[in-house]
Amino acid sequence: MFKQLPPVTKNLLIINGIVFLAQLVFGQRGTDLAALLGLHFVLAPDFAPWQLVTYMFLHADFSHLFFNMFSLWMFGRIVEQTLGMRRFLVYFFVCGVGAGICQELWQLADYYISGMDGYTTVVDPSGLTMPMADYLNLWTTIGASGACYGVLLAYGMSYPEERIMLLIPPIPIKAKYFVVGYGAIELFSAFFTNGNIAHFAHLGGMLFGPVSYT
C-alpha cells in the first residue's frame, strides 16, 4: 500500500518520520531540534524566517506525528492525485507557511494586548524570574498540523459529497460538513480553551488553502 502512494505524499511521510527519529537521537545527546528548527515568536531572539518551513517537519511526540501523518496519508494521496504532484507540493507548503504566519500574528497580538511589551522580565509558575527574551524563545510552534488541515480543506473542496466514516460516533458524514465541523471546533478552541495546541495555525492552514487551490 505504501508503494502505491503518489510521490509527494510518500516523501512527505518519509521525511517527517526521519526528522522525528532525528529529534529522538539528537535529544538523547542534549540537542533539542525543536529549539533550533521550530517556529519561534517573531520578536524572540531565536526567530529566523526559514523556520516557517522547518517547523512543519518537527513533532512533539509520537501521537502528534501519528495523527498528522495519518491525516496526510488519508487525504493527501487523494488530493495529490487530483491536483497533480507539483500543484499539491506547492499547496502543502503554502498552507504550512500560511499556518505559521497566522500563528505568529496571533502571538504578536497576544504580546501587545497583554502588555508584555512593557516588561523586561517574567516570573514563571515556579516563582523564578527570567528575562523576557528567554521567555519569548519558549513560544515555539512545531508540527505539520496546519498544512494537514489545508489538505483536509482541499479534499472537502474537491469531493464535498464524499462520505467520511467517523470513529466517535461511528456514523458517515459528508466531507463538506466534516471540514466545516473541524473548522468550527478549531475556531471555538482558539478562543475558549487554553493549552499548547496552535489552533490559529490549524485555522491558518485552512485559510491559506483556497489561495493556492484555485
Side-chain angles (χ1 to χ4, degrees):
M1 183 180 295
F2 189 76
K3 292 182 179 180
Q4 297 176 349
L5 286 174
V8 174
T9 300
K10 179 170 67 176
N11 285 311
L12 286 173
L13 291 171
I14 292 172
I15 292 171
N16 275 276
I18 291 174
V19 172
F20 183 71
L21 291 176
Q23 284 183 258
L24 297 178
V25 172
F26 278 88
Q28 291 176 348
R29 288 165 170 75
T31 300
D32 184 5
L33 290 184
L36 297 174
L37 304 176
L39 179 60
H40 289 275
F41 176 46
V42 67
L43 298 182
D46 289 347
F47 170 79
W50 43 262
Q51 293 168 355
L52 284 165
V53 174
T54 57
Y55 90 98
M56 288 185 276
F57 299 97
L58 300 161
H59 289 85
D61 50 38
F62 180 76
S63 63
H64 188 201
L65 173 73
F66 174 80
F67 285 110
N68 278 344
M69 294 304 100
F70 179 77
S71 173
L72 180 59
W73 169 80
M74 185 173 181
F75 301 107
R77 56 196 172 96
I78 301 173
V79 174
E80 182 178 350
Q81 291 169 346
T82 303
L83 298 182
M85 182 177 67
R86 291 186 179 181
R87 191 176 168 198
F88 176 70
L89 182 62
V90 171
Y91 179 86
F92 183 87
F93 278 100
V94 167
C95 290
V97 172
I101 292 173
C102 287
Q103 181 68 9
E104 290 287 339
L105 291 174
W106 168 251
Q107 290 178 337
L108 192 64
D110 185 35
Y111 175 76
Y112 284 108
I113 291 174
S114 63
M116 282 189 285
D117 57 312
Y119 297 87
T120 57
T121 59
V122 175
V123 179
D124 67 16
S126 64
L128 297 177
T129 300
M130 62 190 306
M132 178 63 73
D134 292 344
Y135 176 70
L136 294 180
N137 274 332
L138 299 177
W139 291 17
T140 307
T141 303
I142 58 174
S145 301
C148 290
Y149 268 77
V151 171
L152 173 62
L153 175 69
Y155 179 83
M157 293 173 65
S158 301
Y159 306 99
E161 301 301 322
E162 286 293 317
R163 293 183 178 274
I164 299 172
M165 179 60 72
L166 301 179
L167 295 178
I168 302 175
I171 58 173
I173 183 173
K174 289 185 177 181
K176 58 184 179 182
Y177 300 132
F178 183 79
V179 171
V180 171
Y182 252 86
I185 291 172
E186 285 302 311
L187 185 61
F188 176 85
S189 300
F191 286 102
F192 298 104
T193 64
N194 295 318
N196 297 321
I197 300 176
H199 296 292
F200 280 96
H202 300 170
L203 291 169
M206 301 182 82
L207 179 65
F208 274 74
V211 175
S212 59
Y213 182 85
T214 54

